[in-house]
Structure formats: structure tokens, C-alpha cells
Amino acid sequence: MTPPHPAKFGVAVLDRIEELVAKECAGIVPYRILDPYAGVGRVHQLAVPGIIETVGVEIEKEWADEHPDTICGDSTRIDELFAPESFDAVITSPTFGNRLSDHHNAQERCKQCGGKKVFAGKTCPRCGGEGKNKYRRITYTHSLGRPLTENNSGAMAWGEKYRAHHRLVWSKVLPLIRPGGVFILNVKDHVRKGEIQLVTLWHCGVLESLGLKLDVDDMCNVNVPDMRFGQNYDRRAAEGEWVILFRKPYVD
Ligand SMILES: C[S@@+](CC[C@H](N)C(=O)[O-])C[C@H]1O[C@@H](n2cnc3c(N)ncnc32)[C@H](O)[C@@H]1O
């Protein structure tokens, strides 16, 4: 049985992506889409036989095996898999650097017995005598049930290693898009130690520095539809997921 995946494209995200693709693909057959972080392959729901082709790259074999059009590979070397300008669109959701990337096995002491395994002279009823809190951890590592493969960003918390990984992958992915094509990014901020971590803004900055063009009207927060970055950007927005369209300019 395939191990569960903790962060598939949600329905609202895919609906928004579908709207964007419907406009973009008009008159281009086949319209070719690449997802360099394919997970269990929800990107393939965009495929239309003979009209829209989708290709995924996923580093973990168990998840890649979920769809025949997903290649098991490492996107830090994606330039070795595809020819330059061979896709009309890259559509992807990288990992977000949030708690889903936790990968340690430390467990908290049971709150009732304080780790003593015994409460009021009997086996602790809360932890069943294990002395640790019982809960199912939802992370990439715990969902897969084994350590992640090296270079899986799913073990990288928001920080310099996460940023270096994505700078590298984006720099290798963008040449695979034809001029005039698009990059559709699904990403999310999170709150850590009471502070909003501006992961989304960071990705936007890197993609723009690599030459993509962003129009703020093409930014949609699927949970908070009218939300924009700026003064009103708050905790509410950090809870929502962004779907952002960037365009690769034509060369003169
Ligand atoms: C947010 S999930 C994407 C889920 C996907 N949109 C879906 O619907 O199933 C990110 C995925 O990227 C994969 N990943 C992380 N680092 C990778 C790398 N270097 N190369 C390829 N895949 C990678 C992770 O294993 C994870 O499945």
C-alpha cells in the first residue's frame, strides 16, 4: 500500500490552477506541463488525452510510483532529464518549510504521568504506560515511514538550507519553460515563534530575480480570496495557500 502523502494539492488549489491552465492552453496542442515536486501526482488531474500532457518528477519512489507519468528523480538535477524550453508550463507546490518538514523522532513526555508511566498507583490511562504522548505525527518523514532521500526538501525547515535548495531547483527548472510560458506556484507562509515567516514573498523574489514576471492580479490566496501582501497581510493570510502565476518573457 502507498504510504499516505501529507501535502497533496487541495481541491481549491487545483480548481484555481485549472482556471489558469484553461486560459493558457488555448490553441497550443499538446500543452506540456511539468511538476518538479510531483508527490503522488495530483498534477496529472490536469491532463487531457491528446491535448494536455503532464509530467511529474518525485524523489521518493513510493510516491512517484503512484502515477505512470511521474518519473522518480531528484529535481536538483532536473536539467539532465529534459531539453531546454520543452514545457509550456511548470506547475508545482514545493515543500513549505513548516512543521511538515520535522523529521526527528523525539516524543514529548505524557502530560498526565510526566513520563513515569504510572498515575495514581496504576498504569497511566492517558499513555497506556508508555510515558510518552500518543499522537500521529503528520510530516513527510513520518508519513513515508522511513528517512527521506538526500536532497528531499521535505526534511528542510525554512532556513538557509531550504533557500539554497529552492534557488538551485528554480534556476534549473526555468530554462525548461519556453518563452511566453508560465510558472504556477502553490506555496504557503507559516507562523513560527509568533512571527509570520514570509516564505511566499521569498519565492516570488527569487523567481523574479531569475527573470520571471509577476502581475499582482495573478496572485490568488485560495483561503482568503481578496488578500494581498502589504499592510493588511496578517496571520489570516499566513493560513491561506497562494496560487501565483509568473510568465517567462519572450526574448527580443
Ligand atoms: C508539497 S509536496 C507536492 C505534492 C503534490 N503537489 C501532490 O499533489 O501530490 C512536495 C513533494 O516534493 C518532493 N520533493 C522534495 N524534494 C525533492 C527533490 N529534490 N526532487 C524531487 N521531488 C522532491 C517531496 O517528496 C514531496 O512529495
Side-chain angles (χ1 to χ4, degrees):
M1 206 181 75
T2 311
H5 193 287
K8 301 182 278 282
F9 277 137
V11 174
V13 167
L14 263 180
D15 284 351
R16 173 67 184 158
I17 291 173
E18 249 168 26
E19 271 174 39
L20 295 170
V21 169
K23 281 192 225 152
E24 289 295 323
C25 73
I28 305 170
V29 181
Y31 188 80
R32 286 181 37 83
I33 296 172
L34 169 67
D35 183 349
Y37 292 109
V40 287
R42 289 226 164 143
V43 72
H44 301 301
Q45 291 184 15
L46 299 167
V48 179
I51 300 175
I52 300 180
E53 293 175 5
T54 52
V55 179
V57 177
E58 164 59 43
I59 199 164
E60 303 302 349
K61 184 173 185 324
E62 295 92 320
W63 291 333
D65 283 353
E66 272 293 279
H67 199 283
D69 294 327
T70 298
I71 297 165
C72 184
D74 177 357
S75 285
T76 63
R77 299 175 61 177
I78 201 162
D79 50 329
E80 296 170 21
L81 294 175
F82 306 107
E85 302 184 4
S86 51
F87 291 94
D88 300 289
V90 164
I91 299 178
T92 198
S93 174
T95 58
F96 302 156
N98 58 13
R99 297 302 304 266
L100 286 182
S101 296
D102 288 356
H103 51 283
H104 49 79
N105 274 322
Q107 271 189 305
E108 290 167 12
R109 267 184 295 193
C110 171
K111 284 200 173 71
Q112 189 154 356
C113 67
K116 293 187 183 124
K117 305 182 180 180
V118 172
F119 184 75
K122 294 193 180 144
T123 301
C124 174
R126 186 177 172 128
C127 66
E130 289 182 18
K132 292 171 181 157
N133 272 337
K134 277 188 177 173
Y135 53 85
R136 214 182 116 241
R137 303 200 64 174
I138 301 177
T139 71
Y140 290 99
T141 303
H142 294 88
S143 297
L144 195 59
R146 61 163 174 78
L148 301 181
T149 303
E150 195 184 347
N151 284 342
N152 189 325
S153 62
M156 298 175 197
W158 170 237
E160 192 39 51
K161 190 172 179 193
Y162 174 98
R163 291 190 280 269
H165 170 96
H166 288 93
R167 257 186 234 112
L168 176 67
V169 173
W170 295 157
S171 72
K172 293 194 169 190
V173 158
L174 300 198
L176 306 179
I177 307 173
R178 66 159 166 85
V182 296
F183 183 106
I184 300 176
L185 176 71
N186 166 222
V187 73
K188 182 180 189 302
D189 294 332
H190 60 276
V191 176
R192 188 165 288 212
K193 295 187 179 153
E195 302 262 323
I196 299 172
Q197 308 298 311
L198 295 173
V199 181
T200 307
L201 202 56
W202 179 83
H203 281 284
C204 291
V206 172
L207 292 166
E208 287 188 300
S209 75
L210 291 169
L212 295 186
K213 299 288 175 215
L214 162 65
D215 182 335
V216 284
D217 291 336
D218 288 327
M219 294 182 70
C220 171
N221 187 300
V222 293
N223 294 25
V224 194
D226 296 327
M227 187 55 65
R228 290 275 179 270
F229 279 116
Q231 282 184 332
N232 294 331
Y233 191 76
D234 60 11
R235 209 168 254 275
R236 215 160 52 98
E239 284 159 14
E241 288 191 27
W242 292 92
V243 176
I244 306 171
L245 181 141
F246 301 81
R247 192 168 300 281
K248 181 165 176 173
Y250 289 96
V251 272
D252 300 322

